Amino acid sequence: MDLLIKNGTIITTKESYVADIAIQDEKIVCIGTNLMMEADNVIDASGKLVLPGAIDVHTHLAMPFGGTVSADSYLSGTRAAACGGVTTVFDYPIQRKGKGIVETVKARKEMCDPEACVDYAFHCCITDLNSDALLDEFEAAIAFGVTSFKCFLVYKKEGMMVDDASLVKILLKAKEVGAITNIHAENPDLIDLNVEKFLKEGKLSPWYHYLSRPEFVEAEADKRAIHWAKSVEAPLYIVHMADKEGLEAAIAAKLAGFPIYIETCPQYLEFTCEVYKREDGRNFVCSPPMKAQESQDALWDAIKKGTIDTVATDHCPFQSYEKDWGKDNFTKIPNGCAGIENLYPYMLSAANEGKISFNRAVELCSTNPAKIFGCTEKGSLTVGKDADLVIYDTEKDFTVSVSNMHSDYDHTIWEGKKLHGYPVQTYVRGKLVYDNGDFVGEPGFGKYIKRVPNK
Ligand code: URP
Ligand code: ZN
Ligand code: ZN
């Protein structure tokens, strides 16, 4: 054997039990008690949890956005991922006017290949259907391993928005080829009306970022997308859900049997809109913004009841000097925050404190993302799957600081956050990439994951 992990408590979505895990040629080959086989490397995980690596299905690495490029490259972003127990990262290439899907994704794959420290996959954001020609490329995208397409219902001025007719065409085509449509739901016209008013009134602080895109701005777009998805019976994945009204509509559709999936992010579970009143409020500017307490309570309630499917980060950090562009005008702040290294530690710490079970944390951060997005080799500690795993110390206390993160950004909204329990090792396909505070992996080791359509 290449690796034998002994006596850890293995966590699946359903069970927690003490066993040994044997790994050979990047795969889990045996799970059992008192495994006696020879191994090149034996790890004693007594008293520790052994979990499947997290799959962060929502990141924006090296993304041109907000007049700049997000601060984490494929190298630093996936390095940070490894150090937070994330073993697969999904990025969002953006197809631009006149461009194809496969050429867009291929270009980003070429950038990512030599840099990736963990495994990676791509969704593709569609911004221009090229007069419907692009729909004919969906099959080729599937063959390339891209089985999810994202529509921004917002970012109209940025030239990234799709209108409702395009959304419906994409929903239908995605359904036909066994893909899924992801949406960012906010209403740009409502935002523009609010922004115009606040600018005229000289209301320019980050608080007005929130007030220009409050709860109903997100809820309107959530409900519209759900309406269209239901009407054509197509699968829909709502990214970074942050508001109670939209959440309730999505849950109602899901419980009525429609294939509606809901993602939220740690920042919406931890912070409320009150952060925009802080001195450093601009650092928290992201879209959709954090909402009021009522929405946060609804999100936690859905996490506990099982109606939210995934937690992912929307990792899209910018440097302080870039966030400062908007210190006197909230509309100039690049939108996005860091989170890739905080996702799993945050959700596992919530489990360690008894808010949810460890099994549920695994379901939200690993098993469901793998199932929804066709990563057939990932997402659980099962014989035959990739040996992507995290060893977690429930007793280790950790305080997040920019100085103990492994990204390239210079500040984090998670600064000072105290966590009880922390990952001590991360393995990607059996290779140790994170060891007790240090990145020990290798850029370029991460492999492109060709995903399988839902057919
Ligand atoms: O503010 C955010 N979320 N920036 C990244 C792009 C997006 O909308 O997901
Ligand atoms: Zn978004
Ligand atoms: Zn995003």
Side-chain angles (χ1 to χ4, degrees), residues 58 60 63 65 150 152 154-155 160 184 239-240 268 285-288 314-316 318 334-337:
H58 191 160
H60 304 276
M63 183 207 199
F65 193 55
K150 180 173 182 181
F152 289 106
V154 71
Y155 302 140
M160 289 155 71
H184 173 148
V239 305
H240 51 42
Y268 304 118
V285 166
C286 59
S287 293
D314 196 12
H315 183 83
C316 189
F318 294 97
N335 284 205
C337 302

Side-chain angles (χ1 to χ4, degrees), residues 125-422:
C125 302
I126 306 293
T127 70
D128 168 40
L129 284 186
N130 305 342
S131 319
D132 292 356
L134 206 78
L135 295 171
D136 295 333
E137 219 201 324
F138 273 39
E139 277 96 348
I142 298 266
F144 196 71
V146 175
T147 65
S148 42
F149 304 97
K150 180 173 182 181
C151 298
F152 289 106
L153 302 187
V154 71
Y155 302 140
K156 193 177 187 175
K157 288 181 179 148
E158 293 82 349
M160 289 155 71
M161 188 190 94
V162 299
D163 59 20
D164 286 6
S166 302
L167 169 65
V168 175
K169 288 175 186 171
I170 292 167
L171 282 165
L172 278 168
K173 186 69 190 185
K175 175 181 156 184
E176 183 192 319
V177 298
I180 186 164
T181 306
N182 302 358
I183 56 144
H184 173 148
E186 286 185 292
N187 182 312
D189 297 326
L190 294 176
I191 296 168
D192 285 350
L193 275 177
N194 288 330
V195 167
E196 204 181 315
K197 175 172 171 289
F198 291 140
L199 292 185
K200 264 195 203 136
E201 293 170 355
K203 293 175 172 165
L204 302 170
S205 76
W207 176 243
Y208 293 94
H209 171 71
Y210 162 61
L211 285 188
S212 65
R213 5 186 20 131
E215 280 74 352
F216 67 86
V217 164
E218 188 179 336
E220 186 283 328
D222 285 326
K223 288 176 165 176
R224 183 160 34 99
I226 293 164
H227 168 82
W228 287 123
K230 279 171 69 176
S231 72
V232 296
E233 293 181 34
L236 179 72
Y237 178 90
I238 305 175
V239 305
H240 51 42
M241 176 69 82
D243 76 291
K244 181 174 187 233
E245 191 182 333
L247 175 65
E248 286 175 352
I251 292 172
K254 175 195 280 295
L255 296 181
F258 292 96
I260 309 276
Y261 301 93
I262 309 166
E263 169 196 287
T264 193
C265 310
Q267 56 271 33
Y268 304 118
L269 297 171
E270 178 66 11
F271 304 107
T272 68
C273 54
E274 292 301 309
V275 291
Y276 299 112
K277 294 178 179 165
R278 284 169 44 165
E279 185 62 31
D280 61 347
R282 66 184 170 284
N283 291 344
F284 295 82
V285 166
C286 59
S287 293
M290 316 325 166
K291 302 296 197 307
Q293 188 64 54
E294 203 189 12
S295 281
Q296 188 179 91
D297 293 345
L299 291 170
W300 270 114
D301 190 50
I303 290 272
K304 289 175 187 169
K305 289 192 173 131
T307 44
I308 282 181
D309 299 283
T310 65
V311 182
T313 63
D314 196 12
H315 183 83
C316 189
F318 294 97
Q319 305 294 13
S320 300
Y321 79 90
E322 294 164 323
K323 288 285 192 185
D324 274 348
W325 292 336
K327 69 179 172 355
D328 300 320
N329 180 344
F330 70 90
T331 64
K332 302 211 172 350
I333 305 169
N335 284 205
C337 302
I340 206 165
E341 196 167 343
N342 313 108
L343 164 71
Y344 217 18
Y346 178 77
M347 294 308 292
L348 293 172
S349 182
N352 211 12
E353 285 161 12
K355 225 167 173 173
I356 53 171
S357 67
F358 281 107
N359 313 87
R360 178 74 176 128
V362 160
E363 183 173 54
L364 287 162
C365 300
S366 182
T367 309
N368 282 351
K371 275 191 197 151
I372 294 168
F373 291 113
C375 299
T376 51
E377 307 297 299
K378 311 246 176 226
S380 71
L381 299 180
T382 312
V383 171
K385 298 264 186 198
D386 285 352
D388 294 342
L389 43 90
V390 169
I391 300 185
Y392 181 81
D393 183 348
T394 54
E395 296 305 319
K396 184 172 172 162
D397 289 314
F398 188 88
T399 305
V400 178
S401 168
V402 72
S403 61
N404 57 25
M405 295 289 97
H406 299 79
S407 278
D408 273 352
Y409 52 66
D410 65 353
H411 70 277
T412 169
I413 58 169
W414 296 95
E415 187 73 37
K417 175 69 187 168
K418 288 187 174 16
L419 299 170
H420 183 51
Y422 209 75

